[in-house]
Structures are given as C-alpha cells and as structure tokens.
Amino acid sequence: MASRRELANAIRALSMDAVQKAKSGHPGAPMGMADIAEVLWNDHMKHNPANPKWADRDRFILSNGHGSMLIYSLLHLTGYDLSMEDIKNFRQLHSKTPGHPEYGYAPGVETTTGPLGQGITNGVGMAIAEKVLAGQFNRDTHHIVDHYTYVFMGDGCLMEGISHEACSLAGTLGLGKLIAFWDDNGISIDGHVEGWFTDDTPKRFEAYGWHVIRDVDGHDPAAIDKAIHEAKSVNDRPTLICCKTVIGYGAPNLCGSHDCHGAPLGEDEIQATRENLGWKYGPFEIPDEIYAGWDARKKGAEAEQHWNEKFAAYKKDHPELAAEFERRVLKGELPANWAEEAAKFITSVNEKAETIASRKASQNALNGYGPVLPEFLGGSADLAGSNLTLWSGSRAISNTVSDGNYIHYGVREFGMSAIMNGIALHGGFIPYGATFLMFSEYARNALRMAALMKIQSIFVYTHDSIGLGEDGPTHQPVEQTATLRMIPNMSVWRPCDAVESAVCWKVAIERKEGPSSLIFSRQNLAHQNRTAEQIANIERGGYILKDCDGTPDAILIATGSEVDLAMQAAGQMSGRKIRVVSMPSTDTFDAQDEAYRESVLPSSVRARVAVEAGVTDFWLKYVGLEGKVIGINRFGESAPAGELFKYFGFTPEKVVEAVEAVLQAV
C-alpha cells in the first residue's frame, strides 16, 4: 500500500512533468500543497468521480488557479474522466486542461479561477447557497443538503481586495460549512512577500468572525487531518486553516523560491526532484498501487447511493418539498406554471399603463414573479432603497436565518457579483444583485467571469444615465452601457417603460446560457402603447414601436428613457414618414434571423438617427456613417435631470434637427 507521501508525490510528479512538457505553467503551488490536497481528498472530500454533478457533493475550489495542475492531478488520480493524455495536453488548444481551471472543460472543475480572489469569493457564494438550500429544504432528521465548500488559496488571493469583501461577509453570515486553506509559503511572483504583504492574516480573519487554526505544518498529514476535523466541528463560523508550506516542495535547488512559481523546473531539476523524493518512475508514469491509493470511485458511488436512500426517505415523508427539490436542484427547471403566470403579469402591467421609473417597474416585476419563483435569491450592495430590489416576499438571511431569499451585501459590489456567480454555479437558485450602473465598474471582472462561464447571474443596475441628476458626474454613467454590451455572452437590457421592464426580467429568468445586465432609470418613464404583436416582439430585443405607411423616410432608434424622446420627435414631424424602433437589447436583436432584422431596419432606409444618453460610437453599426447619433461623449454635470437633458441636447427639437440633417445628407 502506498504511503501518504507517495500519494502526494504523484501530484508533484504529474505537475512538474505537465508544466515541463507545455514549457509553461506554475509547478510551485501544486508541489507545495500536494500533502494538504492528499489528506483532504482521500479522507474528507465527499464526491463521486462517476457523477461530478451530484447535488450533495462537497465543492472544491482552487482559488489560486495558476496552480491548475493540482486540481487536474487530483481529478485524474481519483477517477474522473480526465485521462493521462489530457494531462499531457496541459495548456494546449482545446484540451480539457487549460492553463487555469475553466468551468465546463474538465469534469469536477466547479468554477473558472484565474483572477485571484474570485475563487474564494465564488466559494462564499457556494457556501451561502448550501446554507440557504439547507434552510429551505432540510426537515427534522432529513438532511438532504449537507455538504462543505473547501477552498485552497494563496497570498495573492488574500492581497486582492475582493477577498476582504467576501470573507468579511462570510464571517457575518456564519458560514460554518466553508473551510479555506491558506497556502502560507511566503512567495509570490516578485519574490518573498514580506516586502509588500505583512498583514497579520490570522488576526484579520478572526476580526471577520472566522474560526482560525494557526501554524499548521502543510507537509504533516496528521496535523492537516487534525485541523480539518477541528474545522468541521465548528458549525457557526467559517474556518481558515493556516498551512505553512514550502513552494516547489521536493525540488532540491528551487524549492522555497519564486523561481519555481511560474516557470518549468527544467529537465535537470526535475530529475533531481525525482531522486530527492524517491520517485522512481518516468515522466507521466503512475504505478498501479498509487492509482489504487487514490481511486475514489467506489467510495464516491457508495456515498451517492447513501444520499439517494436518504432522499427516497425524504420524498416519502415530504413529497411536495422533494418534488420542488427535484425541479430546482436536480433538473434546474422553471415552475410548470411559469409561462402562464409571466404572461398574465406582463398583460397586467400593460393594462395599468403606468408612468413610473423603470427601477420601480423592476421592483413590480420582482413582486409579480417572486411568488412563482422560490429559487430567487436576491440582494443589493447597500442600496436596496434605491435599487428597489426588496419585494413583498423578501426575507433576509443572516447568521441565524438560513431559509431566507435575500442578501444584504453591504458596500461590496465586486464581492456581491462574484458571490452571485458562486450561487449560480452551486445550483438551485437564480441569483440577482443590484447597485448603481456606475458601480458596475467595481464589479467588472466578476461580470466578465460570469459571461466567460456562461452562467445565470442577473446583474441589476439602476440610475442609468445623467438622468440621476444632482449626484453629478461621479455617479452618472456615460460609457458603462456600451462597455457592458462589449462583453461576449453578456445580454444587456435597457427598457423604456414598465412593460419592457417586465419582459426583460422574464427573458433574464429564462436565459440559462449566460448572465444578464438589466439597466433601469431613476426618473419616471412614460408608458408606450403597444399591440399584442409588439409586446411579443420585445423579447426579440428590437422592434417597431411606431410605424408609418409605406417605406419610412427615416428611422429613429432609441433605448430606455430616450424612447419617449424619439416618440415625441416623431410626433412633431407630421410631414415625414418616421419609424421609431425601440431596441432594449442590442445583442438579442443581433441574434435574430436576417429577415426579422431587415423587417425592422430595412437596409434601403439609410436615413437613421439613434438616441441614447451615453457614448455614441456603439450605435454607428446601426445608423451607418451617414446617420447621426444623439448621445454624450463627455462626463456629466451636477444638476436636476430635466436641466441636464436640455443642456446636453436630449430634446425632441434636437432629434428633429438631426433627422432633417440626415435626410438632406442622404
């Protein structure tokens, strides 16, 4: 039987061999954390290699994702569908083993980790999801939701500001099923960290309300095992296990140095490492006894079977809850009555014909859809009263309340967004979170990660333009809507009234293949009258809101608060044939078939004007070089909204002037 050290050395060998073959990568962290990983995965992790999506599995996140060969080695050795050929193809085009772990490539990779700090933050989201799901579904002795979230992280994750945001909230919420391992090796890319990172990390986490286990020898399996047992005995707080390790452990000349952090060891050092570790095997060679020591398939199958038996007993005692768990968690389906209820709500909104701010219309949508969607898990970054994300059924979770559906994130826009990603990845919820559109900037990299992973996070942004008024240019978004539209896989909606607001929420709720950004106004927006066909066409991203007889002389395209401005301008041009197109979602419109796009924006009509209170270049693809865009290519001013719109030329008269100028030019 292979010893623990021999099992850990298999990780070290695979990691240094794969990095060497790829001629790039980070061998230091996998070699340094191999002993911690061996104890965790062999003695504590609840998982089934044959079913990586088993609902009650423990989650493992490698937040220091540059050390990706650690997780690839673990997955390969324990029996996941990750072959030795996949290991050999490390960092190669279209392989299952890219340079950083990427969600959807290798089975068992729970999230994409690369930007440091986001992995631990995703982990906080997963632990929140576990806590809330357990609160909503567990009953008496039936604990069908009962798993841990384990996170490996390094100094870089702890230096990134997002880890402060997320770990602070994790302590406040008392996430007892979250256990993080700090790889305290004292090394980052530039060298020894004492020149730039001298925080007392244990004290920092104690101040957050975490249980902290200090000074664990990261190369002593007994000490590691003892620390994990202690962490699992603490139920009311997350735990940080501080593991002192040597980066590149086993490499006789490079261990303990930043030289093995982000570069291959080299053939000579690899050979010396083999001799130093007593590893007698060649490159990519793992003996049968090592595989046998790692194989988790039998234990994993038994664990899942045990859970299946528990769920069968639960289903017998609580059939309605079990059916809901199957729908939400096991199948990820919307309620059977969803389409009917959503249609009813949109019809009711249209019939009310209210002139209200679209942020208020968004709240109305939450009140309309929320009772149908127990999977809603919302929140706001300390702006609930402005973002209007609280609805009548909202109940905040806390360290003592686990069955709620709302998270007070505090002023943590970046943390909120990456936590939402973790919730979405965990399953069982549709997460939404809100802040002012301007502060999407703080969260931008988490938005990008949601889009990269194609997961369903719904980002809610209010106060969408200079229309927020007196707070001034620091809070007035100008370029944000355009740059959100530039993120691949991100669907962006800027509705013009309550009806479009209801529809954009419906579309975001139904969209499973990526995140959505819903952008709402502070100021009131006039209701637009529509036919049933026009309401149906809102879901196509762009549609004809006002038409004329025959071929239009000119087309006005607008979004959000500027749609009514376009309608007013069209009403003033009685001698012209003007078509008004509302385009709440450009990416959705662009995804329509060519025939539909041509029916809305016929190529024969070259006289086009776009109106949006933001930067202008984005709209040139719709209006062409001969068209005009009424927008704003500078920062705003502090003044009442009405004055600002006039000052920056957002008036019906200016729109009419632009149309006439374009008609003369073409």
Side-chain angles (χ1 to χ4, degrees), residues 41-42 47-52 71-84 96 107-108 290-298 300:
W41 278 64
N42 280 327
H47 65 111
N48 183 5
N51 184 10
I71 191 169
Y72 298 147
S73 299
L74 288 165
L75 295 172
H76 170 73
L77 291 167
T78 55
Y80 285 77
D81 183 17
L82 196 71
S83 68
M84 185 62 82
K96 288 184 178 180
I290 298 291
Y291 274 125
W294 274 107
D295 193 346
R297 287 172 291 190
K298 182 176 183 293

Side-chain angles (χ1 to χ4, degrees), residues 569-584:
Q572 293 181 14
M573 290 183 282
S574 57
R576 298 285 194 182
K577 292 190 291 183
I578 304 297
R579 171 178 292 181
V580 177
V581 171
S582 177
M583 196 176 289

Side-chain angles (χ1 to χ4, degrees), residues 310-360:
K310 286 171 58 177
F311 187 73
Y314 175 79
K315 191 172 185 177
K316 182 178 179 181
D317 289 352
H318 303 282
E320 292 183 3
L321 279 172
E324 187 70 354
F325 188 88
E326 288 175 331
R327 177 187 72 79
R328 281 175 54 181
V329 182
L330 303 185
K331 298 178 182 177
E333 296 175 348
L334 289 170
N337 63 340
W338 163 251
E340 178 185 357
E341 293 299 321
K344 284 181 183 177
F345 176 71
I346 292 168
T347 298
S348 71
V349 172
N350 186 56
E351 290 172 350
K352 286 180 181 176
E354 292 180 298
T355 292
I356 54 176
S358 56
R359 63 170 173 164
K360 178 60 179 174

Side-chain angles (χ1 to χ4, degrees), residues 43-44 148 150 176 179 227-235 239:
D43 289 4
H44 295 275
Y148 286 88
Y150 297 106
I179 299 175
I228 298 172
H229 276 291
E230 179 182 334
K232 292 166 79 171
S233 72
V234 176
N235 300 317
T239 295

Side-chain angles (χ1 to χ4, degrees), residues 489-662:
N489 302 329
M490 176 67 74
S491 190
V492 181
W493 288 80
R494 186 171 182 248
C496 77
D497 67 358
V499 177
E500 285 191 0
S501 298
V503 171
C504 79
W505 263 108
K506 174 181 180 288
V507 173
I509 289 164
E510 293 174 350
R511 184 174 194 250
K512 302 294 186 181
E513 69 277 10
S516 301
S517 291
L518 310 183
I519 300 175
F520 301 113
S521 72
R522 178 196 184 203
Q523 72 274 25
N524 288 342
L525 304 182
H527 170 76
Q528 303 297 329
N529 293 316
R530 298 174 182 84
T531 64
E533 181 182 4
Q534 287 174 313
I535 293 174
N537 283 338
I538 294 173
E539 291 193 28
R540 306 186 79 162
Y543 63 101
I544 300 168
L545 181 61
K546 180 183 185 301
D547 211 0
C548 55
D549 294 330
T551 302
D553 295 327
I555 299 174
L556 281 169
I557 311 168
T559 77
S561 51
E562 288 70 65
V563 168
D564 189 58
L565 180 62
M567 292 290 282
Q568 291 180 50
Q572 293 181 14
M573 290 183 282
S574 57
R576 298 285 194 182
K577 292 190 291 183
I578 304 297
R579 171 178 292 181
V580 177
V581 171
S582 177
M583 196 176 289
S585 177
T586 58
D587 61 276
T588 305
F589 178 77
D590 290 347
Q592 303 304 307
D593 60 78
E594 183 179 355
Y596 178 77
R597 286 184 279 115
E598 179 68 16
S599 72
V600 176
L601 297 177
S603 53
S604 60
V605 181
R606 293 155 52 204
R608 302 182 183 185
V609 174
V611 191
E612 185 175 65
V615 293
T616 59
D617 283 1
F618 173 85
W619 289 102
L620 294 178
K621 70 175 184 176
Y622 297 107
V623 302
L625 296 178
E626 295 172 314
K628 285 187 176 295
V629 182
I630 297 176
I632 175 171
N633 289 313
R634 51 153 291 186
F635 297 120
E637 298 284 350
S638 178
E643 293 181 24
L644 289 172
F645 277 113
K646 291 177 183 177
Y647 178 77
F648 287 109
F650 293 97
T651 65
E653 293 73 25
K654 290 292 184 181
V655 176
V656 171
E657 287 178 17
V659 173
E660 294 295 346
V662 169

Side-chain angles (χ1 to χ4, degrees), residues 130 133-140 142-146 314:
E130 193 277 342
L133 209 62
Q136 292 179 353
F137 285 99
N138 288 353
R139 293 293 184 273
D140 40 75
H142 295 287
H143 290 177
I144 59 164
V145 181
D146 185 14
Y314 175 79

Side-chain angles (χ1 to χ4, degrees), residues 43-367:
D43 289 4
H44 295 275
M45 276 278 289
K46 182 176 66 173
H47 65 111
N48 183 5
N51 184 10
K53 294 298 185 182
W54 170 33
D56 202 42
R57 70 192 181 278
D58 290 337
R59 270 62 169 180
F60 175 78
I61 300 169
L62 186 69
S63 190
N64 46 343
H66 53 271
S68 56
M69 269 311 304
L70 175 61
I71 191 169
Y72 298 147
S73 299
L74 288 165
L75 295 172
H76 170 73
L77 291 167
T78 55
Y80 285 77
D81 183 17
L82 196 71
S83 68
M84 185 62 82
E85 196 62 30
D86 293 321
I87 298 293
K88 291 179 180 179
N89 283 330
F90 178 57
R91 287 188 164 225
Q92 304 309 302
L93 184 64
H94 301 316
S95 74
K96 288 184 178 180
T97 51
H100 291 82
E102 293 190 31
Y103 178 70
Y105 281 62
V109 172
E110 301 283 2
T111 180
T112 299
T113 52
L116 294 176
Q118 289 201 59
I120 176 61
T121 309
N122 293 162
V124 171
M126 292 180 189
I128 288 174
E130 193 277 342
K131 175 187 175 95
V132 177
L133 209 62
Q136 292 179 353
F137 285 99
N138 288 353
R139 293 293 184 273
D140 40 75
T141 59
H142 295 287
H143 290 177
I144 59 164
V145 181
D146 185 14
H147 53 266
Y148 286 88
T149 300
Y150 297 106
V151 182
F152 281 10
M153 59 183 179
D155 290 319
C157 293
L158 293 171
M159 282 187 260
E160 287 287 359
I162 189 173
S163 73
H164 296 253
E165 296 182 27
C167 294
S168 168
L169 184 61
T172 298
L173 295 179
L175 303 178
K177 293 289 188 66
L178 174 62
I179 299 175
F181 298 78
W182 170 32
D183 182 28
D184 181 15
N185 60 32
I187 296 292
S188 65
I189 291 176
D190 281 355
H192 292 273
V193 299
E194 63 259 24
W196 47 87
F197 184 51
T198 58
D199 300 12
D200 189 331
T201 296
K203 281 187 178 179
R204 168 185 157 191
F205 276 77
E206 287 170 351
Y208 290 155
W210 285 53
H211 175 63
V212 176
I213 304 174
R214 299 168 178 252
D215 301 321
V216 176
D217 183 345
H219 302 297
D220 180 351
I224 297 163
D225 184 64
K226 180 183 176 183
I228 298 172
H229 276 291
E230 179 182 334
K232 292 166 79 171
S233 72
V234 176
N235 300 317
D236 61 345
R237 289 170 291 163
T239 295
L240 176 70
I241 302 176
C242 305
C243 299
K244 200 67 182 175
T245 64
V246 177
I247 191 171
Y249 184 92
N253 302 301
L254 296 180
C255 71
S257 164
H258 68 282
D259 291 332
C260 68
H261 181 285
L265 299 183
E267 296 291 355
D268 291 343
E269 184 71 2
I270 286 176
Q271 184 56 39
T273 302
R274 279 187 160 81
E275 294 172 3
N276 189 43
L277 293 174
W279 188 258
K280 305 171 184 177
Y281 315 104
F284 301 104
E285 182 183 350
I286 304 293
D288 290 343
E289 67 173 2
I290 298 291
Y291 274 125
W294 274 107
D295 193 346
R297 287 172 291 190
K298 182 176 183 293
K299 185 167 63 174
E302 290 173 351
E304 183 172 357
Q305 179 58 34
H306 177 63
W307 183 86
N308 288 338
E309 292 167 2
K310 286 171 58 177
F311 187 73
Y314 175 79
K315 191 172 185 177
K316 182 178 179 181
D317 289 352
H318 303 282
E320 292 183 3
L321 279 172
E324 187 70 354
F325 188 88
E326 288 175 331
R327 177 187 72 79
R328 281 175 54 181
V329 182
L330 303 185
K331 298 178 182 177
E333 296 175 348
L334 289 170
N337 63 340
W338 163 251
E340 178 185 357
E341 293 299 321
K344 284 181 183 177
F345 176 71
I346 292 168
T347 298
S348 71
V349 172
N350 186 56
E351 290 172 350
K352 286 180 181 176
E354 292 180 298
T355 292
I356 54 176
S358 56
R359 63 170 173 164
K360 178 60 179 174
S362 170
Q363 186 180 48
N364 291 346
L366 291 172
N367 275 300

